[in-house]
Amino acid sequence: MIKLKSLAAKVKRLRFLLTNKGLKWTYNYLHLCFFYNTTNSFLNKYLYRFTPYPSYIEIEVTTRCNLRCILCEHTYWNEPSTDMSFKNFRKIVDQFPRLKWIGLTGIGESFLHKDFLEMLSYVKSKSTYVELYDTFYFIEGKVAEKLVELKVDRIFVSLDAATKKTYEKIRVGSDFERVINNVKNLIILKERKKIHWPEICFHFVVQKNNYLEMPLFIELVHSLTQGTNSVVQFSRMLHWFEEAKEEFIEVPQEIIQETEDKGKELGVKVWWNLDVPQDKPPISRCTAWTMPFIFATGHVIPCCAGNEANRRDFQKEHSLGNVFKTDFRDIWTGEKYKKFRSMLRKGEIPIQCKDCPLFNVEEPR
């Protein structure tokens, strides 16, 4: 009976997407669900054997940020802030003629880029699924109206706390009430315009300051959304670099259980990021390499998992190329990328993956 209900819900969702988004967008969405992070061994082998040209990418449009979050590598950087020009952004996107999904969140606040809304308009014109993670500090007024007008597909609210005191201790320079009001107002705006998108989800990075608030955070999300399509994704800190290592904590199992119970009670879906389980799968099962991450400086890294280690210079030094100097297709088919994928397929650990928080990267004894 449960399986039949689940199947019926999926069919209903599919019909809704086809009716409201069209065939091309729905195909792009299903393609991402089917292939990315697949646990199917056949699909995993297919991806490694044929290495299809990427259908999903992440682009960091700026490294400017207004906050000094205690867990973020940006707080401890020395390098100057960088904006990617709209011309370069469009040039990159145009190199992916079958682009199905794009993430536009990097180590910076995207809405500080003067052309960010124009960038969103450009990728949305291609029926591409657009996903953002954002602090919601600047999503108000005309910005919120534009996001609804464009029907940006999904935005994760990066909140990390259920209380003002904890939130502002972590997100230094932000304002808890302002963020909460911006979330509420976007939800109201969607309802007023009778538009389903953007789908609003929530992201909570677990650390020593906030892990006890995880069940309370479920209650906060429920109060904001009234349980309608509520989704919360929990991650632990990706890396415990020197300046932030005192904040790191593995998510306690009892808190995981309590949080899941609270989610079931209130009808809030709870997702656990791949970095949460302490037992990691072998790196040969990695498919994250199918979603390259491009820095605002043009450097191409295999995926986003290497970010937040405060090793930006290391990432640039061992990048797979730079799209401002070489077309991405030539980077993708080049010897550096071929060697990288070959090592993953064999279960060997490329230098770019030495600190991977998602898969087992311990050298065999």
Side-chain angles (χ1 to χ4, degrees):
M1 183 62 72
I2 294 176
K3 289 184 178 180
L4 286 175
K5 286 184 178 179
S6 176
L7 179 60
K10 289 178 180 177
V11 171
K12 183 179 179 180
R13 167 78 170 170
L14 180 60
R15 289 178 61 185
F16 175 79
L17 295 179
L18 284 169
T19 301
N20 290 277
K21 285 285 195 175
L23 181 60
K24 182 178 179 181
W25 184 96
T26 303
Y27 168 74
N28 290 347
Y29 172 74
L30 293 176
H31 192 283
L32 175 74
C33 296
F34 194 59
F35 281 100
Y36 188 67
N37 280 336
T38 179
T39 57
N40 183 287
S41 59
F42 174 80
L43 292 179
N44 186 271
K45 290 178 182 177
Y46 166 83
L47 290 171
Y48 274 110
R49 180 175 181 182
F50 295 103
T51 60
Y53 192 73
S55 297
Y56 337 117
I57 58 171
E58 293 188 86
I59 300 179
E60 174 188 79
V61 300
T62 184
T63 60
R64 288 192 290 144
C65 190
N66 58 308
L67 305 182
R68 301 282 291 176
C69 304
I70 61 174
L71 71 162
C72 182
E73 63 179 348
H74 188 283
T75 299
Y76 311 100
W77 279 1
N78 293 316
E79 66 176 71
S81 296
T82 302
D83 285 342
M84 180 182 290
S85 70
F86 179 71
K87 179 180 179 181
N88 279 334
F89 174 81
R90 188 170 58 185
K91 183 179 179 181
I92 293 170
V93 171
D94 289 348
Q95 293 180 55
F96 296 85
R98 297 181 180 179
L99 186 63
K100 296 173 174 59
W101 180 99
I102 188 169
L104 294 177
T105 303
I107 311 300
E109 169 53 73
S110 300
F111 287 95
L112 282 175
H113 196 303
K114 66 180 180 64
D115 296 325
F116 187 54
L117 291 177
E118 189 175 359
M119 292 171 171
L120 287 175
S121 297
Y122 189 70
V123 289
K124 283 307 302 173
S125 70
K126 298 175 177 292
S127 297
T128 302
Y129 188 105
V130 177
E131 184 171 281
L132 309 175
Y133 285 73
D134 194 79
T135 64
F136 261 68
Y137 191 86
F138 294 109
I139 298 181
E140 56 188 357
K142 292 183 179 180
V143 172
E145 290 182 5
K146 188 64 175 180
L147 293 176
V148 174
E149 176 190 326
L150 290 173
K151 297 183 181 179
V152 169
D153 302 287
R154 178 183 287 169
I155 306 177
F156 280 87
V157 186
S158 297
L159 201 48
D160 306 330
T163 64
K164 174 181 174 68
K165 181 179 179 181
T166 302
Y167 174 79
E168 293 182 0
K169 180 179 180 180
I170 295 169
R171 299 268 176 179
V172 178
S174 192
D175 182 317
F176 185 72
E177 286 89 356
R178 173 174 174 156
V179 169
I180 294 298
N181 285 334
N182 285 349
V183 174
K184 288 180 179 178
N185 289 336
L186 183 57
I187 291 172
I188 291 171
L189 181 62
K190 287 171 51 184
E191 292 174 346
R192 190 173 75 236
K193 292 180 175 291
K194 297 181 180 180
I195 294 177
H196 177 77
W197 287 276
E199 292 183 329
I200 301 173
C201 304
F202 296 81
H203 186 225
F204 185 112
V205 180
V206 183
Q207 54 188 277
K208 286 183 179 178
N209 290 292
N210 64 9
Y211 76 98
L212 293 175
E213 292 189 5
M214 291 168 63
L216 186 60
F217 188 74
I218 299 294
E219 295 181 3
L220 172 63
V221 169
H222 180 265
S223 71
L224 291 171
T225 64
Q226 296 303 309
T228 305
N229 297 317
S230 301
V231 175
V232 177
Q233 181 186 53
F234 289 99
S235 304
R236 68 154 171 76
M237 290 172 59
L238 289 177
H239 305 277
W240 47 99
F241 57 92
E242 184 64 29
E243 293 87 347
K245 66 181 181 182
E246 295 303 318
E247 313 302 331
F248 178 83
I249 188 174
E250 296 286 5
V251 188
Q253 188 58 45
E254 61 271 19
I255 294 294
I256 290 177
Q257 189 61 56
E258 186 179 350
T259 303
E260 289 185 341
D261 291 344
K262 182 60 70 174
K264 290 176 182 178
E265 175 190 338
L266 297 177
V268 176
K269 294 180 183 177
V270 176
W271 293 350
W272 301 102
N273 199 348
L274 290 175
D275 73 328
V276 172
Q278 295 186 38
D279 293 328
K280 309 297 183 186
I283 201 164
S284 58
R285 285 172 50 186
C286 172
T287 57
W289 57 269
T290 62
M291 188 183 286
F293 189 100
I294 301 173
F295 283 164
T297 52
H299 294 85
V300 177
I301 61 173
C303 72
C304 67
N307 293 337
E308 292 294 3
N310 201 21
R311 301 184 69 186
R312 189 79 165 192
D313 289 340
F314 172 87
Q315 289 178 285
K316 289 180 179 178
E317 179 185 354
H318 296 288
S319 69
L320 298 163
N322 190 304
V323 288
F324 296 163
K325 300 176 181 178
T326 308
D327 286 349
F328 184 86
R329 187 172 293 277
D330 291 332
I331 295 173
W332 182 253
T333 58
E335 290 304 315
K336 210 170 183 179
Y337 234 132
K338 285 181 180 178
K339 180 182 178 181
F340 171 82
R341 292 190 294 265
S342 176
M343 292 183 71
L344 287 182
R345 185 178 66 249
K346 296 174 184 176
E348 299 173 359
I349 303 164
I351 191 168
Q352 295 89 347
C353 306
K354 291 289 184 182
D355 301 321
C356 178
L358 309 182
F359 294 89
N360 186 350
V361 291
E362 292 183 7
E363 296 286 357
R365 296 180 179 178

